C-alpha cells in the first residue's frame, strides 16, 4: 500500500485533486490487476493469496500450469470487491481508470480471460464516466509552491 499511496499523491498533484485513501486503494487494486497475467508464472504468483490456493487445492506448480481458472475467478471477485467507487469529485483520469479496472475484473471473474473488453464497450464506459464530470474537476490544478 505504500507504493499506491505515493502514486496517489503524484496523481493528485498532476491532476489537481485531493489525494485520498480511496485513490490509494484503487491504485493498489490496479497494480495487482496489471501484475496478474504475467505474474502467475513468477515466484510470487502475482500476489494471489495463499488462502485461495488452499481453498482450491492448488499449489504454485498447478497454478503456473494453468489449472487455476476457478481460483482466478475468485481472486478477481475479491479484487473487484476491494475496488472503491471513485468519488464524483476525483479527477476524470482516476474515475476512468477505476471504471475500466472494474470492467476488466468483471471479465476475469466471469471467466472471459485477461483481454480487454470490446472497444465499443470501453468507449461507452468512458462516455458515461465523462458525462458525470463536475465542473470542480475541470479547474486547472493549483500552482506548486516554489522550493525553499
Amino acid at each position: 500500500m505504500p507504493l499506491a499511496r505515493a502514486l496517489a499523491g503524484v496523481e493528485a498533484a498532476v491532476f489537481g485533486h485531493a489525494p485520498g485513501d480511496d485513490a490509494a486503494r484503487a491504485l493498489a487494486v490496479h497494480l495487482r490487476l496489471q501484475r496478474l497475467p504475467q505474474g502467475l508464472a513468477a515466484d510470487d504468483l502475482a500476489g494471489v493469496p495463499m488462502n485461495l490456493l488452499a481453498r482450491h487445492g492448488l499449489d504454485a506448480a498447478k497454478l503456473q500450469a494453468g489449472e487455476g481458472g476457478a481460483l482466478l475467478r475468485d481472486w478477481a471477485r475479491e479484487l473487484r470487491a476491494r475496488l472503491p467507487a471513485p468519488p464524483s469529485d476525483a479527477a476524470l483520469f482516476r474515475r476512468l481508470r477505476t471504471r475500466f479496472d472494474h470492467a476488466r475484473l468483471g471479465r476475469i471473474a466471469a471467466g472471459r480471460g485477461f483481454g480487454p473488453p470490446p472497444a465499443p464497450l470501453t468507449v461507452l464506459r468512458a462516455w458515461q464516466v465523462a458525462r458525470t464530470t463536475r465542473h470542480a474537476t475541470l479547474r486547472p490544478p493549483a500552482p506548486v509552491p516554489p522550493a525553499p
Side-chain angles (χ1 to χ4, degrees):
M1 204 53 186
L3 175 62
R5 279 194 185 97
L7 290 173
V10 170
E11 184 179 285
V14 169
F15 293 109
H17 66 91
D21 287 339
D22 282 347
R25 281 197 305 276
L27 271 162
V29 170
H30 175 74
L31 293 172
R32 290 281 184 185
L33 173 61
Q34 294 303 308
R35 174 87 172 106
L36 194 55
Q38 293 81 17
L40 291 173
D43 292 336
D44 69 347
L45 299 176
V48 174
M50 296 300 285
N51 69 330
L52 282 179
L53 289 169
R55 183 186 316 160
H56 291 277
L58 296 173
D59 60 10
K62 288 180 181 177
L63 185 60
Q64 290 171 345
E67 297 180 27
L71 178 140
L72 290 176
R73 289 190 298 274
D74 282 353
W75 182 224
R77 283 186 204 104
E78 283 190 30
L79 287 174
R80 194 174 188 195
R82 293 179 190 176
L83 188 64
S88 60
D89 61 345
L92 179 59
F93 172 79
R94 170 60 21 228
R95 291 185 294 123
L96 286 168
R97 184 72 265 156
T98 302
R99 181 67 178 102
F100 295 155
D101 289 346
H102 188 268
R104 197 152 182 212
L105 286 167
R107 287 180 56 80
I108 296 169
R112 289 188 246 144
F114 293 115
L121 289 178
T122 300
V123 171
L124 177 64
R125 284 185 190 97
W127 178 75
Q128 289 170 336
V129 169
R131 276 188 56 199
T132 62
T133 299
R134 293 181 184 248
H135 295 288
T137 62
L138 298 176
R139 288 181 292 179
V144 177

